[in-house]
Amino acid sequence: MHAPRTFMVGIDVSKAHLDVAVEGKRAVVRFDNDAAGRAALAAAVAGAELVVVEATGGYEMATVRALMAADSPVAVVNPRQIRDFARASGRLAKTDQVDARVILHFARAMRPAQIPHIDDGRIALAALVTRRRQLIDMAVAEKNRLEHAPQAVAVLIGETLAALKAQLARVDAAIALAIEAEPDMAARRDLLLTVPGIGEVGAAVLIAELPELGGIDDKKLAALVGVAPMAHDSGAWRGQRHIAGGRATVRCALYMATLSAIRCSPAIKTFYKRLRDAGKPPKVALVAAMRKLIIMINTILKRHTPWNEAQQHGC
């Protein structure tokens, strides 16, 4: 029988070090951010109710994996959330030890959601999806330069574009193989491809960068993606709702999928048209359609059932 988990942990991550604040202990302990240090950290926080790690440009991923391998529940939070929480709490100083304590206080106050287990296949897929996005961004930049480039430079740009195109083809093939190699990811892909507007690329982005999909409630999911309306009210004044935060790359993929779904899915098309007929601006109606689509997808993955237009039309 497992002992009850009774304490929380906050970890500030840098390239070289891990500063760790443990609930009930005064001192912040520092570990090296290497294999030995991460193993020692995992042993030191064994039995924690939740370990909260601040996202730090990828330096946190090895730590997250080490903690998960040791069966510790982990939450990864956006640095902006931590800094906003620190300012709201009156903690204006910033050092690694102070940050670790702020993350611990954030963990106790906000209790962020635990992330699903991250396996090697998903990590590899996420890296490939990121690389694909980088290649496209580089190709767009080169095409913009090509417009005003003299002939000699245009030839060089053309060579770069050809190389980027070739690498993009290899990355697309590698993404397909990475998904096919993992039965769980392949099953999720097959369900996602039944959704109007979701293609191979959109499915890969959702699988790699939104692993919580199908495992959390709709409101948390909308906030996680960044399509939940945020209130701006004060007293009797009611401000316009806006979206904020969330995972920009996922939201971009969802945006493109929704544009397509508005054309080819009666359920989404009818929903969008109803909002426009009610006087909602196009942007507001589109964001609402994005929110509806991701919630529908969440339900599909929860139930492990493909998209059914008749059922979705009745939602």
Side-chain angles (χ1 to χ4, degrees), residues 105-250:
H105 295 152
F106 178 89
R108 282 197 302 237
M110 306 305 294
R111 296 185 175 270
Q114 176 184 344
I115 62 173
H117 183 78
I118 302 174
D119 54 35
D120 290 341
R122 193 180 299 278
I123 290 172
L125 176 62
L128 288 167
V129 168
T130 299
R131 181 57 183 166
R132 188 183 195 281
R133 188 161 50 245
Q134 292 167 347
L135 289 170
I136 290 174
D137 288 345
M138 286 188 285
V140 169
E142 287 294 87
K143 287 177 181 177
N144 289 339
R145 296 184 187 106
L146 184 61
E147 185 177 356
H148 301 290
Q151 181 60 33
V153 175
V155 171
L156 299 175
I157 293 175
E159 293 174 359
T160 301
L161 285 170
L164 291 173
K165 184 177 180 180
Q167 189 175 142
L168 182 61
R170 295 202 303 272
V171 168
D172 283 341
I175 287 173
L177 288 172
I179 293 175
E180 201 62 44
E182 299 287 339
D184 176 65
M185 292 198 298
R188 291 169 74 83
R189 185 240 5 238
D190 292 343
L191 287 172
L192 288 168
L193 290 179
T194 69
V195 179
I198 299 288
E200 295 282 354
V201 173
V205 171
L206 292 176
I207 292 169
E209 301 185 352
L210 193 60
E212 297 88 349
L213 194 58
I216 60 176
D217 68 61
D218 295 341
K219 287 185 178 180
K220 287 182 179 179
L221 179 67
L224 197 61
V225 176
V227 291
M230 302 297 176
H232 293 268
D233 299 340
S234 179
W237 181 75
R238 295 292 179 266
Q240 188 176 14
R241 270 55 176 164
H242 297 279
I243 59 173
R247 297 179 187 173
T249 55
V250 174

Side-chain angles (χ1 to χ4, degrees), residues 13-18 31-38 59-60 62-63:
V13 180
S14 67
K15 182 177 181 179
H17 300 110
L18 305 166
F31 297 87
D32 291 332
N33 194 359
D34 56 20
R38 292 188 289 268
Y59 290 125
E60 77 283 356
T63 301

